[in-house]
């Protein structure tokens, strides 16, 4: 089937109590690892491309890689989504350039300005059969070239969501309930430590999610910054020359709970990067004489595939839902 929008996926996910995985893609091996996993477990899929990915790999290369995946995976619905679209022009370029979904992220702007920019993107997107994700509230962490310190992050205000959605006409809404971008999601003083000395983050604000869902019945909610930062991969990186102290993510049980509620899309990027980096670091440590990129990218791709399969089945619950 051709690339699809997220409309049908989200409706089924909302009604079925699961979420669709949105994984960031930057090169061929990442596209292959993710899509082979989704094909094997028969899961719907969102492949997303950030401004940084477009700058790194080039818009056309990424679209063509995703089109190749669509050909290789004819039985699962795949949407191609712009992640954190910074302005109308970038959204327009992606709408005109083959994407089926875009995010306009004006969440750092004042409420009225966020509405104005989002509405403009929605009008253009809907005229072209493309759906729009918007954002209210500010996540901590690093996304593209924007770094938000933990103290500057702010939870979504539930009392604003109805007005925002009705005035903008957006198709889904990303909210801030305590997730955060990157591999260092929380500072040590925001966390406690478990018996192994690993940081335990503060729990997500399910009360905010519940209040938002009550005010927007049937409306798909999105969670960004939802990597779990698997400690096995952090260890693999640190055991093989890396230095990632206190990298910590969102516990998977909390994401599973969110997926059973109104959260229909869960964004995962950093976990893929950790799997790829850990695998490649270990490979070079074990084989200092090797220099063929295929030899180290192959196990990296295989580990991305295993990680994505685990997420689709055990965290998102979307296996078998294609
Ligand atoms: O939220 C941001 C995504 O993880 C994309 O990251 O801007 O480094 O491509 P990036
Ligand atoms: P992570 O950094 O937690 O993987 O979040 C990715 C994301 O939200 C992409 O938009
Ligand atoms: Zn994000």
């Amino acid at each position: 089937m051709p690339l699809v929008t997220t409309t049908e996926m989200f409706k089924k996910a909302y009604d079925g109590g699961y979420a669709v995985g949105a994984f960031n893609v930057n090169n061929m091996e990442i596209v292959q690892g993710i899509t082979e996993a989704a094909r094997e477990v028969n899961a719907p899929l969102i492949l997303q491309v950030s401004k940084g990915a477009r700058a790194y790999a080039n818009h056309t290369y990424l679209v063509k890689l995703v089109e190749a995946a669509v050909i290789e995976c004819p039985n699962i619905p795949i949407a191609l989504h712009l992640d954190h679209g910074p302005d109308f022009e970038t959204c327009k370029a992606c709408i005109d350039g083959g994407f089926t979904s875009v995010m306009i992220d004006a969440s750092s702007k004042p409420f009225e300005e966020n509405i104005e920019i989002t509405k403009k993107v929605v009008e253009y997107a809907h005229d072209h059969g493309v759906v729009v994700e918007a954002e209210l509230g500010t996540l901590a962490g690093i996304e593209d070239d924007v770094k938000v310190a933990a103290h500057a992050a702010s939870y979504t205000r539930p009392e604003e969501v109805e007005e925002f959605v009705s005035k903008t006409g957006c198709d889904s809404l990303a909210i801030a309930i305590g997730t955060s971008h990157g591999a260092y999601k929380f500072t040590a003083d925001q966390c406690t430590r478990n018996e192994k000395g690993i940081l335990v983050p503060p729990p997500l604000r399910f009360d905010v999610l519940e209040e938002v869902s009550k005010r927007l019945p049937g409306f798909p909610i999105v969670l960004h910054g939802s990597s779990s930062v698997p400690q096995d991969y952090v260890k693999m990186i640190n055991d093989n020359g890396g230095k990632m102290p206190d990298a910590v993510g969102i516990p998977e049980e909390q994401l599973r709970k969110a997926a059973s509620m109104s959260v229909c899309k869960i964004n995962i990027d950093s976990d893929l990067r950790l799997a790829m980096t850990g695998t490649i670091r270990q490979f070079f440590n074990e084989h200092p004489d090797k220099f063929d990129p295929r030899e180290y990218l192959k196990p990296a791709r295989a580990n991305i595939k295993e990680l994505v399969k685990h997420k689709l089945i055990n965290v998102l619950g979307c296996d078998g839902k294609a």
Side-chain angles (χ1 to χ4, degrees):
M1 71 181 84
L3 280 172
V4 299
T5 72
T6 53
T7 308
E8 189 62 26
M9 284 183 191
F10 286 169
K11 193 178 169 354
K12 285 167 77 175
Y14 197 101
D15 294 343
Y18 61 89
V20 180
F23 300 95
N24 288 67
V25 296
N26 291 280
N27 67 16
M28 183 185 76
E29 286 74 15
I30 297 175
V31 172
Q32 289 175 328
I34 298 165
T35 54
E36 285 172 18
R39 182 176 60 191
E40 255 178 54
V41 304
N42 206 31
L45 191 60
I46 299 168
L47 296 175
Q48 55 187 15
V49 167
S50 68
K51 172 185 160 197
R54 289 175 85 238
Y56 169 74
N58 167 309
H59 177 99
T60 310
Y61 277 94
L62 290 169
V63 170
K64 294 298 166 191
L65 283 172
V66 170
E67 286 175 2
V70 166
I71 292 170
E72 293 296 320
C73 306
N75 299 320
I76 58 168
I78 300 179
L80 174 54
H81 173 77
L82 169 66
D83 188 28
H84 293 287
D87 47 42
F88 175 79
E89 289 68 33
T90 309
C91 292
K92 181 178 182 302
C94 291
I95 293 164
D96 294 345
F99 284 47
T100 54
S101 173
V102 293
M103 175 188 193
I104 173 68
D105 182 358
S107 60
S108 61
K109 305 269 197 292
F111 184 68
E112 294 299 338
E113 209 179 320
N114 188 353
I115 290 180
E116 195 184 314
I117 299 168
T118 302
K119 190 169 183 294
K120 186 173 173 196
V121 172
V122 168
E123 279 165 7
Y124 189 80
H126 286 182
D127 275 352
H128 292 79
V130 169
V131 291
V132 178
E133 174 187 326
E135 180 166 336
L136 258 186
T138 316
L139 270 69
I142 301 173
E143 68 199 39
D144 272 320
D145 37 16
V146 183
K147 187 171 193 299
V148 180
H151 68 266
S154 58
Y155 297 113
T156 301
R157 291 156 49 86
E159 60 274 25
E160 290 182 344
V161 298
E162 293 137 299
E163 182 184 351
F164 184 83
V165 168
S166 70
K167 284 193 171 163
T168 62
C170 66
D171 302 280
S172 60
L173 184 67
I175 63 168
I177 59 165
T179 60
S180 163
H181 287 106
Y184 302 95
K185 296 193 183 300
F186 304 99
T187 59
D189 46 319
Q190 288 178 301
C191 302
T192 53
R193 280 191 196 269
N194 69 12
E195 63 290 349
K196 289 183 188 156
I198 310 268
L199 292 178
V200 179
L204 296 182
R205 289 285 304 273
F206 283 102
D207 58 323
V208 174
L209 175 59
E210 269 167 13
E211 188 56 35
V212 167
S213 317
K214 223 181 276 170
R215 290 168 180 265
L216 295 174
F219 194 79
I221 300 301
V222 177
L223 283 191
H224 282 248
S226 296
S227 275
S228 296
V229 186
Q231 293 301 306
D232 288 354
Y233 280 123
V234 174
K235 183 171 179 340
M236 192 189 270
I237 289 170
N238 289 337
D239 286 351
N240 290 283
K243 204 171 178 187
M244 296 192 70
D246 288 347
V248 67
I250 311 296
E252 290 186 337
E253 338 52 271
Q254 292 186 38
L255 296 169
R256 182 70 202 100
K257 180 174 170 187
S260 73
M261 299 165 68
S262 57
V263 171
C264 294
K265 173 177 183 272
I266 293 190
N267 287 9
I268 297 172
D269 184 9
S270 299
D271 285 355
L272 308 181
R273 297 179 183 197
L274 292 166
M276 185 160 222
T277 301
T279 309
I280 293 172
R281 276 194 178 278
Q282 185 177 56
F283 179 92
F284 281 132
N285 221 4
E286 289 171 357
H287 307 281
D289 55 323
K290 303 267 192 188
F291 66 100
D292 182 340
R294 293 171 299 187
E295 289 188 84
Y296 57 84
L297 290 172
K298 193 173 171 181
R301 179 176 61 192
N303 278 346
I304 286 178
K305 179 177 171 181
E306 281 318 300
L307 179 80
V308 171
K309 255 167 103 168
H310 161 71
K311 298 281 178 185
L312 297 172
I313 297 169
N314 301 310
V315 181
L316 301 148
C318 62
D319 53 309
K321 306 289 201 275

